[in-house]
Amino acid sequence: MAKRTDIEILAPATGKVLPLCETKDEVFSAGTMGQGFGLEPSAEGEIEVVAPVSGTVMMLADTKHAIGIQTADGLEILIHMGIDTVNLKGTPFTVHCEQGSTVKAGEPIATMNLKEIEAHKLAKTIMVIVTNSADKLESLSLDEGEIQAGEPAADAHLKGAGKKKKGKRDYDALATTIIKLVGGKENVNNLIHCITRLRFYLKDESKADTEALKNTDGVIDVMKASGQYQVVIGNEVTNVFDAVMKQLGPLDEDAAAAQPAENDGKNPISRAFGNLIGFITGSMSPVIGVIAASGIIKGILALLTLPQLGSILSVKSTMYMTVSAMADSAFFFLPILVGYSAAKRLGSDPIVAAVIGGVLTYPQIITWGKAFKTMFTIGGFHFQFLNYTYSIFTMIVAAWLAKKVGDWLKDHLPSYLQMIFNPLITILVVSTITLVITGPIIQGAANGIADFVNWLVQASGWIGGLIIGGFYQLLVIFGLHWGVVPLVAQQIAQTHQSALNAIISVTMVSQGAAVLAVAIKSKKDNMKELGFAAAISAFCGVTEPAIYGINLRYKKVFVSGLIGSAVGGLITGLMHGTMYGFTGSLIGFSSFFNPAHPTQLTSFYAFLLSSIAAIIVSFLVTWFWGYNDNMSMGKKVEKKKRPGTK
């Protein structure tokens, strides 16, 4: 049985729930006694105070103004009736429980005379404090505003679920909890993962307990998009994925690929757009890591050839050419990687798709494509070869065609011919269609769009930098950034640079700086631990742990990051900075060196200035405006459903 990860704390009386920072006692409002909330009673005269949790009464003040309850999970809750009421020596209070007795959440434990407290000009606020917050609480989610006695006022999220064999997270325990909360093994069709998320294909999403998953230690957030039930894990996603797959065993990939075609009441165009984003996500996410790694290697090579550093490596040296081949391979053979990944997403034969990708990267085809003059004739029609290395969209369409052709052949070929003739015909037909029809159309359009976006970003200068920098991370919230990823890759493949990616890079830096400010400023151990981990992740190019773990839950922190990234984007646009690799944020510094012209450092200087500005602005705005420990953490953010999402 997985350890319980949250406790519901009820309102002790009817009134208005207040965050600690709005209460009138310096000790409580500063969080010195622990996390919690205040409740301002709305009634007059004598009121009943009910137990906010079930547990054992561990403390009764002699002056009757305070009661301490310990829950079965070890959470220690203090109910403090009124402020400075200790001096009244118990006259306004009647206690209905005894020390050592057991109480149930919602049952009366005391009576409080508000008129007598007001007569002494004292505040009648009831404080509910978790006195062992530092040891027990991961966070406290608060529902502010008017509330009735006994209604849920807050959720205390406990530390400890899925933790820790010898200081490390127990991934097997976390995997068990996740599988149970998504509806069990029998509810899972398939599972893939990207940089930060487990992406489930569930048979029935209604069987998943989304709220319990969100409040599970080790899970940052949960969202539903494009037929996927996405569990945001963060940097440990690979370890969690492996643990989940070990428990799930073999899965039915065909069932995962066969998405229901029922009418969900959405606009067909919107639904198609959502499905397209989901398909791109499933096809691209497995290869993003190797593309990013390749970009870092290329940038470091460019750095090592700089004359200012003494040209540590010569571009003609064996070492340089060998390492360069390692870096280039992911991009050079990108159609094979994308084809394999897309076929896995579709539930078709990934080897057949990889072979079709191999056709597009075949050396002679590449030579003809680079020459751009080589023609071939079919039925009297003349066609031109294109260079398909680095291509993404062309291969995604080819994988989809291979799925359709392969499925048709399964239905029409005798079983004894399937093994040989299904892949034979599929490869011949789809490769020909791709080279002759879809490839030239899609590749030409993709190259044109990539060129246009690069030109538009560079031509707009500071305006484009300011707008994109200020709003790009909003795309991450809605999952729409996956529509930009292949465009950036296409830009780098076609023009060997991406001004758009240079601006995107600084948005990652700014969100990292914002969450770093929270980690440094906060005195809460759990906030420091989560904040530092999320900051490192953002500086390494993955902002989701920062956004979903802290920044969006304290919305001012997220806005502080947007302000910093707007400033950074403005500087990048003013200096016309661009990137020559895929990897962004601070770890992607080497991507700002031009491999073809190592002495041209304009883009690197743009990276330095924009990153420094983004860090300073985001950090300071967060520090002085965006966050303090008295703020109540909001509930984990529900992402709005994108068009086409179920």
Side-chain angles (χ1 to χ4, degrees):
M1 178 69 68
K3 186 173 181 179
R4 190 177 173 199
T5 59
D6 66 280
I7 294 178
E8 202 169 59
I9 301 179
L10 308 183
T14 298
K16 184 178 182 180
V17 174
L18 304 172
L20 287 184
C21 59
E22 294 183 17
T23 59
K24 299 177 181 179
D25 183 272
E26 292 182 0
V27 175
F28 287 125
S29 63
T32 305
M33 295 289 291
Q35 298 185 55
F37 60 90
L39 185 136
E40 195 68 31
S42 57
E44 296 181 359
E46 196 170 76
I47 64 169
E48 279 191 338
V49 177
V50 303
V53 293
S54 298
T56 303
V57 177
M58 304 301 292
M59 186 276 293
L60 281 177
D62 293 337
T63 51
K64 305 179 184 179
H65 73 291
I67 301 173
I69 301 174
Q70 185 178 61
T71 71
D73 299 87
L75 212 60
E76 296 173 1
I77 307 292
L78 172 68
I79 303 95
H80 192 286
M81 294 174 281
I83 295 176
D84 292 331
T85 51
V86 63
N87 298 320
L88 301 182
K89 302 186 184 301
T91 56
F93 309 106
T94 302
V95 177
H96 306 316
C97 56
E98 298 177 356
Q99 188 161 332
S101 64
T102 300
V103 296
K104 293 182 179 180
E107 79 175 25
I109 56 174
T111 302
M112 181 178 178
N113 192 319
L114 301 180
K115 283 188 176 180
E116 188 171 348
I117 294 173
E118 289 176 330
H120 289 85
K121 297 182 180 180
L122 297 176
K124 56 186 180 180
T125 310
I126 302 173
M127 308 301 302
V128 179
I129 306 295
V130 182
T131 56
N132 57 348
S133 298
D135 297 328
K136 290 290 185 178
L137 281 193
E138 187 73 36
S139 62
L140 186 75
S141 300
L142 183 63
D143 290 331
E144 299 179 29
E146 298 295 332
I147 196 169
Q148 296 294 313
E151 290 184 348
D155 285 322
H157 310 301
L158 303 185
K159 294 180 178 180
K163 301 235 184 213
K164 331 284 178 229
K165 293 178 180 178
K166 298 182 180 179
K168 295 184 178 180
R169 185 178 298 280
D170 186 346
Y171 298 113
D172 291 333
L174 179 56
T176 300
T177 301
I178 291 173
I179 293 171
K180 176 183 177 182
L181 294 178
V182 298
K185 296 180 182 180
E186 62 280 0
N187 195 39
V188 179
N189 274 334
N190 198 16
L191 172 64
I192 61 174
H193 75 89
C194 59
I195 298 175
T196 59
R197 309 180 189 189
L198 298 175
R199 297 174 178 268
F200 285 92
Y201 294 91
L202 301 180
K203 295 175 183 177
D204 184 356
E205 287 187 356
S206 66
K207 292 183 179 180
D209 191 341
T210 300
E211 286 304 314
L213 259 177
K214 286 182 177 183
N215 294 321
T216 297
D217 183 33
V219 174
I220 295 175
D221 205 353
V222 177
M223 58 204 65
K224 304 170 187 178
S226 302
Q228 299 172 351
Y229 189 85
Q230 303 175 9
V231 181
V232 183
I233 300 296
N235 299 326
E236 298 176 309
V237 67
T238 302
N239 293 323
V240 179
F241 173 82
D242 291 341
V244 172
M245 289 301 296
K246 182 172 67 175
Q247 296 185 30
L248 287 177
L251 296 172
D252 184 359
E253 296 180 0
D254 289 333
Q259 297 299 319
E262 74 273 4
N263 185 358
D264 56 8
K266 302 295 175 95
N267 182 292
I269 296 176
S270 298
R271 185 166 59 249
F273 174 73
N275 291 336
L276 176 62
I277 294 295
F279 184 31
I280 291 174
T281 299
S283 302
M284 287 296 298
S285 58
V287 302
I288 291 299
V290 293
I291 294 176
S294 298
I296 292 175
I297 295 173
K298 290 293 288 184
I300 292 174
L301 283 176
L303 179 64
L304 295 177
T305 60
L306 285 175
Q308 293 91 329
L309 297 180
S311 297
I312 299 173
L313 274 181
S314 167
V315 294
K316 296 182 179 180
S317 67
T318 302
M319 176 66 76
Y320 179 92
M321 289 187 287
T322 301
V323 177
S324 181
M326 297 176 187
D328 284 336
S329 62
F331 278 105
F332 191 86
F333 297 109
L334 193 56
I336 297 176
L337 301 178
V338 172
Y340 184 92
S341 178
K344 293 281 286 184
R345 166 66 179 84
L346 289 167
S348 59
D349 191 333
I351 302 302
V352 169
V355 171
I356 296 170
V359 173
L360 300 184
T361 58
Y362 191 74
Q364 191 59 59
I365 299 291
I366 294 172
T367 301
W368 289 337
K370 287 181 177 179
F372 205 69
K373 294 180 180 179
T374 304
M375 309 285 291
F376 64 100
T377 303
I378 297 179
F381 293 94
H382 301 288
F383 300 92
Q384 241 173 6
F385 282 104
L386 294 180
N387 180 14
Y388 293 106
T389 55
Y390 304 89
S391 66
I392 294 172
F393 297 106
T394 299
M395 192 59 233
I396 287 178
V397 173
W400 178 80
L401 285 173
K403 164 71 172 173
K404 295 299 181 182
V405 173
D407 287 349
W408 187 89
L409 291 171
K410 284 181 182 178
D411 293 335
H412 292 81
L413 280 179
S415 58
Y416 56 86
L417 295 179
Q418 288 287 342
M419 182 175 178
I420 300 298
F421 286 94
N422 190 317
L424 185 153
I425 296 172
T426 301
I427 291 169
L428 285 175
V429 171
V430 176
S431 296
T432 301
I433 292 174
T434 302
L435 290 172
V436 174
I437 303 174
T438 60
I441 294 173
I442 295 170
Q443 192 71 2
N447 289 345
I449 293 172
D451 289 341
F452 174 74
V453 172
N454 250 345
W455 171 83
L456 186 63
V457 172
Q458 290 180 322
S460 62
W462 68 269
I463 297 176
L466 180 68
I467 295 174
I468 296 172
F471 294 100
Y472 177 79
Q473 287 297 321
L474 292 174
L475 297 181
V476 177
I477 300 174
F478 294 98
L480 297 178
H481 63 300
W482 280 104
V484 180
V485 168
L487 178 61
V488 170
Q490 189 72 37
Q491 288 178 332
I492 295 173
Q494 175 65 15
T495 65
H496 306 294
Q497 60 178 298
S498 174
L500 174 61
N501 206 30
I503 300 172
I504 292 173
S505 174
V506 80
T507 69
M508 303 174 186
V509 174
S510 62
Q511 289 297 324
V515 79
L516 179 64
V518 173
I520 294 176
K521 185 177 183 180
S522 178
K523 295 180 180 178
K524 302 175 183 177
D525 292 340
N526 63 307
M527 195 63 68
K528 285 184 175 293
E529 180 182 354
L530 179 59
F532 282 122
I536 292 172
S537 176
F539 291 147
C540 290
V542 181
T543 57
E544 287 167 308
I547 289 176
Y548 294 114
I550 292 179
N551 295 10
L552 273 179
R553 301 184 72 186
Y554 296 95
K555 293 181 176 60
K556 287 185 178 181
V557 179
F558 183 66
V559 174
S560 301
L562 295 183
I563 293 171
S565 60
V567 173
L570 184 148
I571 294 173
T572 302
L574 277 175
M575 299 182 67
H576 297 286
T578 190
M579 283 182 70
Y580 304 93
F582 193 84
T583 308
S585 197
L586 297 184
I587 199 173
F589 74 94
S590 59
S591 296
F592 288 85
F593 291 101
N594 187 345
H597 303 284
T599 57
Q600 294 181 2
L601 300 178
T602 303
S603 290
F604 181 69
Y605 291 145
F607 160 76
L608 281 180
L609 291 177
S610 63
S611 296
I612 291 172
I615 290 173
I616 292 174
V617 172
S618 296
F619 191 96
L620 292 179
V621 174
T622 302
W623 188 279
F624 291 108
W625 174 74
Y627 177 82
N628 64 69
D629 275 346
N630 294 326
M631 291 179 173
S632 296
M633 177 179 280
K635 287 183 177 290
K636 289 185 176 180
V637 176
E638 274 288 351
K639 285 177 61 173
K640 295 180 181 178
K641 291 187 177 181
R642 294 198 314 270
T645 300
K646 299 174 185 177

